[in-house]
Amino acid sequence: MQNSEYNFSKIEPKWQAYWSENNTFQAINFDKRPKFYILDMFPYPSGAGLHIGHPEGYTASDAYKRFKKAQGYNVLHPMGWDAFGLPTEQYAIKTGKHPKITTTENVSRFKEQLKQIGLCYDWEREVNTTDPQYFKWTQWIFTQLFKKGLAYVEEKPVWFCPELGTVLANEEVLNTPEGPRSERGNFPVERRPIRQWVLKITDYADRLLDGLKAVDWPDSTKRLQANWIGRSEGAKVCFDVDSSDDTIDVFTTRPDTLYGATYLVLAPEHPLVHTLTTPELKDAVSAYIEKTKTKSDLERAELNKDKTGLHIGAFAINPINKKKIPIWISDYVLVSYGTGAIMAVPAHDERDFEFAQKFNIDIIQVIDDCGTAKKDAGGNLTQAFTASGPLKNSDSLNGMDSESAKKAVIENLEKANKGLVEVNYKLRDWLFSRQRYWGEPFPIIWVNESDYAQVNAQFKPKGTTIKSKIGDELLYAICLPDESLPLELPEIESYKPSADGQSPLSHASKWLEVHFNRETGETTSQASNFTVRGLRETNTMPQWAGSCWYYLRYIDPQNSTALIDKELEAYWKTPDLYIGGAEHAVLHLLYARFWHQVLYDIGVVTEAEPFKKLFHQGIILGEDGEKMSKSRGNVVNPETIIEAYGADTLRLYLMFLGPLEAMKPWNTKGIEGVARFLRKLWRLVIIDNDYTLNPKIDLTNSVKLDSETDRLVHQSIDKVSHDYENLGFNTAISQLMILLNQLSKLESLPKEVVEQFLVLIAPLAPHIAEELFFRLGNEQSISEREWPKVDAQKLESETVKIIFQVNGKYRGDTMLPKEHTKETAIESAKKHERVIAQLDGKAIVKAIYVPNKIVNLVVR
RNA sequence: GCCUAGGUGGUGGAAUGGUAGACACUCGGGACUUAAAAUCCCGUGCCGGCAACGGCGUGCGGGUUCAAGUCCCGCCCUAGGUACCA
C-alpha cells in the first residue's frame, strides 16, 4: 500500500514565493526571443474581493502565458487596476472614507488573492488608473483630443433624481408601473439636460468599421460592433413647410418610396416643434413632450408597442410631387438619430404602418409586391411590405426597380436642391463627463470672452472654440499645458453632488478658482499681470477613460516624459491576445479602438488597431444555474476552494468545467474528479511524503515504452499543444487524464516521460508540476523547460480500425493493416457476424468505402 | 420586436458529415480496512433480454445524403445584448 500525501498547502506558497523571488515571468524589453503580449481585461477592485468569475479568464491567460514561454517567447503578461468607479464613491459618501484609501485596501486584497491562485504577472509593470502618474496621461490624451477639435460641450439629457439631487446611471434607474424610479429610495426620476463633455467618435465611424476587417475577433463581436456603428447609406430629403419659410430635413434609406410618404414625423424634442405647432394645439403638444421626458429610448422603443403621437396642425410639401402631407410628432422618432425627423411611408415601413393604421392616415403602396404581400379581402395591405421591387404610383418612375429608383429620386432632388446622398450612423458621440468626484479631473479652465482672446493659441482647440454658459456667464474652454499634468483631485469635505446635479468638485472653491498665465499656461492662486481669471472644470471623466489605453502603459509604466517610449512601443506593439468578457464587446472595445486610432494619428503608436486577437471567456453561474450574486446567496469564493483543494485543483477545475467561451454553472461536487487526478499524478512520482520516488520510474531512461503507450504520449503532446493554442483547456485536460490513467498502469516508465507529462500539465497546474519536477532532481524551474515535440512518425499506427455499417448503422468493426484495398475492407465487412445477420434475405445495393474509416453496405 | 449565442444521459460536457455520449461527476456493486478516509476494479442513456443482441435516442417538424448532433428550411424554448435607427 502506497502512503503518499499531496500536500498542496505546503507546496503552493513555496512555489509562489519562488516565482516571485526569481522574477520567473518577467518580460524583458528588447529581448531577442520573439515577443508575445497577452492582455487580460483588468478588474475593478471592488470591496467584495475576487469572485470565481475573475480567475476563469485569468487562469486561462496564465496557462497560455506559461505555454508560450515554454515555446520560447518573450512573454509580456501584466495586470493592473481599473480603480475609478461608482461603488467606491458611494462607499465614500456613506462612510466619509476617502476613495483613495478604500482603493488601496481593495487592490492589496485583490493582489493577494490573485497570487494565491498562482497567477504570475510581471508586477513591476502594474498600473492603477487612479495613480496620478497614470492619469496624467489619461488627461494628456484628453488635451490632445481637445486640441484636435474632437471634444465639445453640449447639454445632454441624463437621468436626474430631484429627491436625491443627483444624476443617475442607466442601471440605477428602475422601470416601474408608476414610471421610472431611482434604484435607491424609489424616487421619481426624469431626463434633464445637463452640460456635458462629448467626444466626436462619429468622426471615426468609418475607420472603426473598416478596422474590423483586419482583426482576428469572434465574428459575432465584429457584427455587434458593426451593427452598433450602424452605417447606412440613404438620402437627406428637404421638405418645405406649407405657408412657412421653415424646412424640415429627413433622412431616409428608402428614397425610392418617396411617392408613398403620406405624413412626416418629428421627434418631440425637434427644435421646430414649437414653431410649427398651431396655437390651438400648443397645450396638447406640450403635454405630450412632458410625457416623453420620462421615457428612456429603450422604453420608447420596446415597451411602447402602442404608438402614440399628435398632429401638430402644420403641413409639409413632398418635394417630388408637391403633395401636402400632415406633420406629426411621436416618440418613436428619436432626436438623436439622423435629423430627428422622418418621412413616413406606411406601406413600406412597419412602424409607420402601425402608426398610420392607428391614426387613419393614408397608406399608399408605391413598391409592387407582385402578389407576395399579405392583404385582406379588400386588397389592402395587412402589414407593411418592406422588400424592394418595381415601383408603382410613382409617375415617371413606375416600373423602375428600387435600386435604380433610389438613384433617380436623389438625382431629381439634387437638381431641385431638395436633397442629396447621405450616410448616417447609428453611432452617437461619446458622452464623456460625469458629475462625480472619483474620476480624472478635466485639465480644462474656463475663462471669459475677452480673456480668451488673449490666451496663447496652444491652449485652444484648433479651428473651433468651445463655449458654455456656466453660472450666469458665457465662458470659453482652454486646456492646461502638459507641465501642469497631472491635475489631481482636491480634498473635499463631502463626496455628495450638489443639489442641482453638479459634481462634488463644485464645492472645492479654492481648487476651483485659478489664475492662468496667458503664455505659459501656468496656474497660480495669485493674480499677476500675465494671468487671466479662470474656473476649473468640475466634471470628471468616466471610468472608460482610464481603461481605454492601459494596455499601452504596461509597456512603459514608469515613463514620466511620454505616454510610451517610441522604441519600447516599436518592440512590444499591441497585445497579441486579449481575453475578456463579452459584456465589453461594444463599449469598452469601441472606445479603446477610437482612442488608439487617435493616438495612431498623432504618432504615439505605430499600429492602427489595438487588439489583434480577441477571446471572450464565458460566465460562471452559481450552482443553481443562476448568475452569481450576493442577494441570491450563490456566490462561490475562490479562497474557500483553495483552502479545501488547493490552487492547482481550482485552476484545473475552472478550465475543466467546459469550453472557456461558454456560460456554465459551477458544481462543487465535480471538483472531486480533478482533485483525484492530481493526487494520482502525485502518486505516480512520490510514494511517501519523505521524498521517496516511485520505484517504477526508471531514472536512467533505459526502459522503452510499449508502442501503444508511446503513441498515446505523442498523440497527447499533439492534442494538448493544439488545444492550448486554441484555449481549449477542457479537452486538453481530458487527454491528460487519459494519458495519466495509462502511465499509472505501467510497471515501469522512463523519467523522461514523466517529465514530459509534467511539462504538459505545468501551465494549468504549475505548483504540483514544479514540485514533482524538482523531486525528480531538476534544479531549474519547469517553466524553463522546453515544450515537448511531437514525433509525427509515432502518431501513426500500422493498423487502422474500420467501421462496418449496414444502411448507415454501426454493426461492428475490425482492425486492418494500414495498406489494405477497398475490396479487402468490403469483404471483411461481409464476413462479420453481425453484418451477416443484417444482410439476411436482403440484397446489397451499394457498398460505400471511405479509406481507413468505414464500410457502409446499403441493402434492400 | 430586433441582434447574438445556445438546446446532447441524473449532472458538467466530448464528437474534421462517418461507432453519439470521450473525459469527469453522481449513483449502484465489489476489493482493501477492526472501521472510516484514501485507493483500486466492475457497472451506469432509455426500453426489452440471464446474456449474445435487438429497438429507440442529440428541443420539435420536415428536407438533403450511402451516412446528419453536425448541412438546409420552418417552428418551440433558454440565455445574453438592445437603439422602433427610418
Side-chain angles (χ1 to χ4, degrees):
Chain A
M1 173 81 191
Q2 291 185 347
N3 170 23
S4 72
E5 198 193 350
Y6 163 43
N7 189 346
F8 52 82
S9 55
K10 209 165 150 193
I11 65 175
E12 287 177 354
K14 168 183 159 190
W15 289 101
Q16 283 160 16
Y18 176 95
W19 298 321
S20 165
E21 281 157 22
N22 292 280
N23 289 322
T24 309
F25 295 96
Q26 195 170 27
I28 315 289
N29 289 338
F30 306 119
D31 190 90
K32 279 198 265 333
R33 290 169 297 169
K35 71 98 185 183
F36 202 95
Y37 182 1
I38 303 168
L39 181 69
D40 289 291
M41 286 185 184
F42 64 166
Y44 171 67
S46 73
L50 285 186
H51 62 84
I52 210 82
H54 285 114
E56 192 200 9
Y58 295 165
T59 299
S61 62
D62 188 74
Y64 195 73
K65 161 190 62 204
R66 292 168 188 267
F67 171 59
K68 282 287 152 188
K69 179 174 159 66
Q71 284 186 325
Y73 288 92
N74 178 28
V75 180
L76 169 58
H77 186 215
M79 184 45 74
W81 316 103
D82 188 15
F84 279 125
L86 206 48
T88 314
E89 176 151 339
Q90 303 287 18
Y91 188 71
I93 292 172
K94 217 159 71 187
T95 63
K97 194 168 177 178
H98 198 292
K100 208 186 287 179
I101 299 168
T102 314
T103 300
T104 310
E105 289 171 359
N106 290 353
V107 162
S108 65
R109 169 120 189 266
F110 261 65
K111 206 166 164 179
E112 199 46 49
Q113 288 182 303
L114 292 179
K115 285 184 177 175
Q116 265 182 26
I117 302 168
L119 302 171
C120 287
Y121 300 100
D122 185 345
W123 286 113
E124 287 182 19
R125 294 170 183 268
E126 179 178 357
V127 301
N128 183 325
T129 55
T130 65
D131 177 354
Q133 291 315 308
Y134 179 90
F135 71 65
K136 170 181 178 176
W137 297 103
T138 312
Q139 291 172 332
W140 181 84
I141 295 170
F142 178 79
T143 63
Q144 301 303 306
L145 291 157
F146 175 85
K147 289 179 187 172
K148 269 177 80 74
L150 288 169
Y152 60 96
V153 168
E154 202 174 84
E155 300 241 315
K156 289 267 185 189
V158 289
W159 287 116
F160 182 79
C161 177
E163 202 77 28
L164 294 168
T166 182
V167 171
L168 296 175
N170 283 335
E171 63 168 18
E172 296 176 292
V173 176
L174 302 175
N175 254 318
T176 69
E178 298 84 47
R181 294 293 178 114
S182 63
E183 194 179 28
R184 277 176 297 140
N186 196 38
F187 302 118
V189 298
E190 62 181 40
R191 305 278 285 170
R192 182 182 283 195
I194 288 192
R195 182 179 62 87
Q196 305 285 359
W197 282 91
V198 186
L199 298 182
K200 281 190 198 167
I201 190 172
T202 51
D203 277 12
Y204 280 69
D206 273 326
R207 281 173 64 187
L208 289 167
L209 196 59
D210 289 344
L212 290 173
K213 289 176 196 151
V215 294
D216 180 7
W217 286 17
D219 281 340
S220 56
T221 307
K222 287 196 199 183
R223 231 169 301 162
L224 219 54
Q225 286 219 350
N227 289 346
W228 190 269
I229 295 165
R231 185 181 203 276
S232 65
E233 290 177 25
K236 193 149 105 180
V237 183
C238 179
F239 284 73
D240 288 326
V241 177
D242 189 37
S243 17
S244 158
D245 293 336
D246 289 313
T247 59
I248 297 169
D249 286 339
V250 305
F251 173 74
T252 178
T253 52
R254 295 295 301 272
D256 53 320
T257 63
L258 183 51
Y259 279 94
T262 54
Y263 62 103
L264 228 59
V265 189
L266 304 182
E269 303 91 337
H270 194 284
L272 283 177
V273 170
H274 287 289
T275 335
L276 298 181
T277 304
T278 50
E280 69 276 14
L281 288 167
K282 282 221 188 296
D283 286 349
V285 167
S286 301
Y288 186 78
I289 292 171
E290 276 309 304
K291 222 161 64 192
T292 308
K293 274 191 190 165
T294 63
K295 292 183 185 175
S296 67
D297 285 358
L298 185 64
E299 240 187 320
R300 284 164 68 161
E302 188 181 357
L303 303 175
N304 185 12
K305 283 285 149 245
D306 197 19
K307 296 278 182 291
T308 60
L310 279 178
H311 177 38
I312 61 171
F315 291 85
I317 309 292
N318 187 334
I320 205 141
N321 58 8
K322 309 298 173 209
K323 224 167 111 179
K324 204 167 128 180
I325 57 175
I327 301 173
W328 289 66
I329 57 170
S330 174
D331 62 11
Y332 82 95
V333 173
L334 303 177
V335 76
S336 52
Y337 183 76
T339 59
I342 63 159
M343 61 178 220
V345 186
H348 305 291
D349 182 283
E350 283 164 28
R351 295 150 299 176
D352 300 344
F353 185 86
E354 208 181 307
F355 192 85
Q357 278 215 316
K358 174 158 181 192
F359 294 106
N360 273 317
I361 306 172
D362 289 348
I363 298 171
I364 300 174
Q365 197 174 342
V366 293
I367 306 288
D368 198 338
D369 60 82
C370 305
T372 59
K374 290 184 182 161
K375 290 182 181 170
D376 63 17
N380 300 309
L381 287 169
T382 54
Q383 63 180 58
F385 175 71
T386 56
S388 49
L391 270 72
K392 65 180 198 181
N393 296 329
S394 300
D395 295 345
S396 61
L397 303 178
N398 285 341
M400 203 181 261
D401 66 273
S402 289
E403 280 315 301
S404 323
K406 281 180 186 172
K407 286 187 192 121
V409 166
I410 293 169
E411 225 168 88
N412 187 326
L413 292 170
E414 273 174 346
K415 272 185 207 146
N417 211 12
K418 287 289 174 201
L420 48 114
V421 174
E422 185 157 278
V423 175
N424 235 307
Y425 302 93
K426 286 189 250 177
L427 182 68
R428 299 172 200 165
D429 277 339
W430 175 9
L431 200 155
F432 191 69
S433 50
R434 303 289 184 264
Q435 291 68 52
R436 305 198 188 279
Y437 175 76
W438 195 228
E440 300 88 346
F442 279 83
I444 291 290
I445 309 272
W446 292 94
V447 298
N448 70 30
E449 186 172 10
S450 57
D451 288 344
Y452 185 76
Q454 299 176 44
V455 169
N456 188 303
Q458 63 172 309
F459 307 117
K460 301 175 181 175
K462 239 189 220 139
T464 176
T465 52
I466 297 170
K467 47 192 171 183
S468 178
K469 208 171 157 198
I470 295 180
D472 295 322
E473 232 182 324
L474 184 68
L475 298 178
Y476 288 68
I478 54 177
C479 72
L480 294 178
D482 297 355
E483 304 81 63
S484 297
L485 303 181
L487 170 63
E488 298 198 35
L489 284 163
E491 299 297 323
I492 56 171
E493 273 166 35
S494 162
Y495 302 104
K496 282 203 181 94
S498 68
D500 58 356
Q502 291 300 308
S503 152
L505 293 183
S506 58
H507 303 307
S509 51
K510 259 196 204 153
W511 177 84
L512 212 57
E513 292 160 22
V514 292
H515 298 276
F516 184 87
N517 186 304
R518 296 183 296 261
E519 283 308 316
T520 65
E522 197 188 343
T523 42
T524 49
S525 52
Q526 298 295 319
S528 79
N529 289 340
F530 309 103
T531 62
V532 295
R533 247 187 91 239
L535 277 179
R536 289 196 195 275
E537 171 62 59
T538 58
N539 283 319
T540 51
M541 298 186 197
Q543 203 179 352
W544 304 117
S547 62
C548 256
W549 67 281
Y550 69 110
Y551 56 95
L552 293 174
R553 194 61 178 173
Y554 285 136
I555 291 172
D556 194 8
Q558 310 296 341
N559 198 330
S560 58
T561 58
L563 187 158
I564 182 172
D565 175 77
K566 283 204 180 318
E567 285 177 32
L568 283 170
E569 192 276 334
Y571 179 79
W572 290 108
K573 300 268 188 186
T574 53
D576 297 281
L577 175 66
Y578 193 16
I579 298 183
E583 64 272 23
H584 296 296
V586 176
L587 295 181
H588 161 64
L589 288 168
L590 197 68
Y591 293 154
R593 290 180 61 222
F594 166 46
W595 275 29
H596 193 89
Q597 290 182 353
V598 173
L599 292 173
Y600 176 76
D601 288 347
I602 62 175
V604 174
V605 295
T606 56
E607 284 186 327
E609 283 290 333
F611 311 120
K612 290 180 202 95
K613 181 172 177 161
L614 177 69
F615 192 95
H616 295 304
Q617 91 273 13
I619 300 173
I620 296 188
L621 306 171
E623 300 216 46
D624 52 3
E626 300 284 330
K627 224 178 212 172
M628 276 190 203
S629 75
K630 240 192 221 165
S631 56
R632 282 208 182 84
N634 60 356
V635 173
V636 178
N637 180 343
E639 274 163 320
T640 352
I641 307 291
I642 291 174
E643 265 169 47
Y645 292 96
D648 280 335
T649 301
L650 171 67
R651 292 169 61 112
L652 212 52
Y653 187 52
L654 279 170
M655 297 298 99
F656 187 63
L657 267 178
L660 186 60
E661 65 274 19
M663 179 181 293
K664 50 215 175 255
W666 176 264
N667 175 5
T668 299
K669 270 187 189 162
I671 202 168
E672 232 0 274
V674 288
R676 260 175 222 151
F677 169 64
L678 288 186
R679 287 196 291 259
K680 193 166 188 171
L681 173 61
W682 184 265
R683 288 197 312 273
L684 182 73
V685 182
I686 305 293
I687 59 163
D688 67 33
N689 209 26
D690 203 17
Y691 285 78
T692 309
L693 289 179
N694 191 333
K696 280 177 170 179
I697 297 175
D698 165 34
L699 297 171
T700 63
N701 287 321
S702 49
V703 166
K704 286 270 170 285
L705 288 179
D706 62 281
S707 67
E708 203 182 312
T709 306
D710 203 21
R711 190 174 330 119
L712 183 63
V713 168
H714 283 271
Q715 279 170 348
S716 300
I717 295 171
D718 192 44
K719 177 155 177 64
V720 169
S721 307
H722 275 104
D723 285 350
Y724 280 3
E725 188 58 55
N726 300 315
L727 304 164
F729 296 110
N730 56 329
T731 46
I733 293 166
S734 58
Q735 183 65 35
L736 289 169
M737 285 173 166
I738 292 168
L739 179 58
L740 180 62
N741 286 342
Q742 175 65 19
L743 295 182
S744 305
K745 281 180 196 149
L746 300 180
E747 284 310 312
S748 66
L749 73 169
K751 177 178 129 181
E752 202 185 356
V753 171
V754 178
E755 288 180 349
Q756 279 188 339
F757 187 93
L758 294 174
V759 174
L760 290 179
I761 200 162
L764 290 166
H767 310 88
I768 191 174
E770 289 275 22
E771 180 67 20
L772 293 178
F773 192 68
F774 170 73
R775 299 228 188 164
L776 283 170
N778 295 286
E779 280 168 14
Q780 256 190 333
S781 160
I782 196 167
S783 70
E784 305 297 337
R785 178 61 73 97
E786 206 181 309
W787 195 253
K789 289 199 173 59
V790 180
D791 183 340
Q793 273 190 324
K794 289 186 172 169
L795 292 178
E796 308 283 322
S797 150
E798 258 123 69
T799 53
V800 287
K801 192 188 215 177
I802 302 294
I803 307 299
F804 301 149
Q805 293 183 345
V806 178
N807 286 345
K809 256 199 167 28
Y810 171 82
R811 297 294 173 188
D813 56 60
T814 193
M815 297 305 290
L816 285 180
K818 219 162 173 203
E819 311 291 328
H820 64 262
T821 62
K822 177 180 175 178
E823 287 69 31
T824 324
I826 292 173
E827 282 317 306
S828 55
K830 285 181 186 167
K831 279 182 207 143
H832 193 275
E833 221 180 300
R834 286 175 61 194
V835 174
I836 291 168
Q838 292 295 323
L839 297 181
D840 186 41
K842 292 170 187 153
I844 297 173
V845 183
K846 204 172 173 185
I848 310 279
Y849 170 68
V850 182
N852 288 340
K853 255 185 199 156
I854 208 158
V855 171
N856 186 14
L857 301 175
V858 186
V859 304
R860 222 183 2 225

